[in-house]
Amino acid sequence: MRTLLDLVLPAECGACRRPGTPWCGECARSVAGPPTRIHPLRDPGVPCWALSRYRGPARQAVLAVKERGRRDLAGPLGVALAAGLAELRAPGRPLILVPSPSRRASARRRGGDPVLRCARSAARSLDGCQVLPCLRVWWGVRDSAGLSARDRDRNLRGRVRAVPLPADAAKAQVVLVDDVLTTGATAQACARALAAAGTYLDDILVTCAA
């Protein structure tokens, strides 16, 4: 007989679908890091890091958040992101997380922006950390799934814009966070948009590198 808690919380792991837990210990270890340096095809001009490769439980967890409505996984994925950020953090500096932007249609379909949700979860675990969602994707951008590196570049060219950050952001370590890095086209477009608005990234950290 199912308890009230079973009705409120998912009855299976968001990655491996093991029954009885929304997020099992084995799958948690798949995104436990430490961050690994990666070198995408499109170089954004700053160090890129990933907690995991885009395979196995890590991939399934990202897909569950984006395509299966598992909003509850933002918590554990945010905790994993926070642990990775703690490894990269410069001592004594405030930390600003800039989530990679989502298309409005995608965010509506997913019940909100999953990258923003994970970033906010991570920030709650870190002192002196704030999330500033200052990037916007303009009309005309398609879903990048299945696009080649060249098509991803064309898809994003001139369509990612940044709102200038507060003046005190110059003293902070600014990190772009995202769920998956594939060719680096999105990271590159985000870095360029931020630079055009007067903000320069220190690092890029993603959950998975494809």
Side-chain angles (χ1 to χ4, degrees), residues 8 11 28 91 128 155 178 194 203:
V8 174
N155 186 40
D178 204 350
L194 286 165
D203 297 280

Side-chain angles (χ1 to χ4, degrees), residues 33-56:
T36 300
R37 182 75 183 269
I38 54 176
H39 302 275
L41 183 64
R42 299 289 185 259
D43 182 9
V46 297
C48 297
W49 308 85
L51 299 178
S52 175
R53 289 291 176 184
Y54 189 54
R55 61 191 178 200

Side-chain angles (χ1 to χ4, degrees), residues 159-181:
R159 296 193 178 103
V160 179
R161 306 286 176 84
V163 176
L165 296 185
D168 59 359
K171 300 177 182 178
Q173 180 179 0
V174 182
V175 181
L176 178 76
V177 293
D178 204 350
D179 50 9
V180 181
L181 189 150

Side-chain angles (χ1 to χ4, degrees), residues 9 11-12 35 48 71 113 130 154 156-157 172 176 182 186 207:
L9 296 176
E12 63 180 20
C48 297
R71 299 177 61 177
D113 184 340
Q130 60 179 320
R154 291 172 177 168
L156 293 167
R157 190 173 299 146
L176 178 76
T182 306
T186 299
T207 304

Side-chain angles (χ1 to χ4, degrees), residues 1-90:
M1 182 175 178
R2 300 184 70 189
T3 66
L4 179 60
L5 189 61
D6 291 329
L7 296 174
V8 174
L9 296 176
E12 63 180 20
C13 174
C16 68
R17 301 194 176 187
R18 179 179 298 173
T21 177
W23 183 238
C24 74
E26 184 176 346
C27 291
R29 287 190 289 274
S30 72
V31 291
T36 300
R37 182 75 183 269
I38 54 176
H39 302 275
L41 183 64
R42 299 289 185 259
D43 182 9
V46 297
C48 297
W49 308 85
L51 299 178
S52 175
R53 289 291 176 184
Y54 189 54
R55 61 191 178 200
R59 177 178 181 272
Q60 291 304 318
V62 169
L63 290 175
V65 171
K66 294 173 72 171
E67 310 300 340
R68 300 206 304 270
R70 288 295 301 266
R71 299 177 61 177
D72 60 300
L73 294 183
L77 290 179
V79 169
L81 197 64
L85 289 162
E87 293 277 343
L88 300 177
R89 191 166 187 178

Side-chain angles (χ1 to χ4, degrees), residues 6 23 50 57 82 116 129 167 206 209:
D6 291 329
W23 183 238
L116 175 59
C129 179
V206 299

